[in-house]
Amino acid sequence: MSSKRILMITGDFTEDYETMVPFQALMAVGHRVDAVCPGKASGDTVATAIHDFEGDQTYSEKPGHRFALNADFAGTNPADYDALVVPGGRAPEYLRLDKDVLAMVRHFFETNKPVAAICHGAQLLAAANVLEGKQCSAYPACQPEVELAGGHFANLKVTDAVTDGNLVTAPAWPAHPAWLAQFMALLNKQS
């Protein structure tokens, strides 16, 4: 496996596990992961939230950790990266309003580079208009956005993930083993 340079776009109230786990797991196997957030620089932090599934009609939300960014958003060039990770949580809800974020996301689809999005990360993909004809899993409440963007919502068990071309998606953090394994398989296929 050759080391890849991976961009992670995140923001305040990103889901804690969906940010920390892929960030650390991908680095543990030798990849470089640059975590960025619009309006923030390397060394700044974003607040995280822990979403849990406790039998209520939707997930519960609890305060998470402070996640330290390790790269500057300003000047980030997506062409310098081999792949993209989009965590879920509440961050995609407002990140999708940033034209520079949307342009970065589109770059990875236009160049057919691997993209891993989880949970509410589909909101960012839908806003970037990159889901046309693609299978995409997400937190079930995001199904309308996936379908309105022309995607095919993959209604998976919370522990499953789906790959469609360069895109790997999953409903939520309980799918980390499947989601990360499928994403790493795509990374390994890259020359």
Side-chain angles (χ1 to χ4, degrees):
M1 169 191 73
S2 64
S3 177
K4 303 295 182 193
R5 189 166 179 203
I6 301 169
L7 179 64
M8 175 184 280
I9 301 175
T10 191
D12 284 321
F13 299 101
T14 184
E15 207 291 324
D16 192 278
Y17 298 150
E18 294 168 3
T19 305
M20 301 263 195
V21 171
F23 181 79
Q24 293 172 340
L26 292 164
M27 288 193 314
V29 297
H31 299 299
R32 174 179 167 177
V33 183
D34 287 351
V36 301
C37 174
K40 297 196 181 203
S42 181
D44 291 344
T45 62
V46 294
T48 71
I50 297 170
H51 291 169
D52 213 348
F53 309 99
E54 301 173 302
D56 299 307
Q57 290 178 323
T58 190
Y59 57 86
S60 63
E61 185 172 80
K62 299 166 184 69
H65 301 89
R66 298 298 302 187
F67 176 74
L69 303 167
N70 64 346
D72 296 336
F73 182 83
T76 294
N77 181 355
D80 294 338
Y81 293 91
D82 301 303
L84 173 67
V85 173
V86 180
R90 291 197 340 258
E93 176 182 283
Y94 66 85
L95 289 174
R96 64 186 168 172
L97 303 175
D98 187 302
K99 65 178 178 46
D100 294 328
V101 169
L102 297 178
M104 286 180 187
V105 170
R106 282 192 289 272
H107 165 83
F108 290 91
F109 285 86
E110 292 164 356
T111 56
N112 202 36
K113 295 177 184 178
V115 175
I118 191 163
C119 201
H120 287 76
Q123 292 178 313
L124 195 46
L125 303 181
N129 201 28
V130 295
L131 292 179
E132 183 72 36
K134 289 212 174 261
Q135 288 286 320
C136 179
S137 184
Y139 186 70
C142 297
Q143 180 176 351
E145 289 161 287
V146 169
E147 292 173 345
L148 286 168
H152 305 288
F153 184 74
N155 189 12
L156 307 176
K157 291 189 302 185
V158 74
T159 55
D160 290 343
V162 63
T163 299
D164 187 343
N166 69 317
L167 178 62
V168 180
T169 55
W173 61 260
H176 276 152
W179 181 64
L180 286 169
Q182 290 179 38
F183 183 55
M184 286 189 222
L186 286 181
L187 293 174
N188 288 336
K189 286 182 185 176
Q190 264 187 328
S191 55

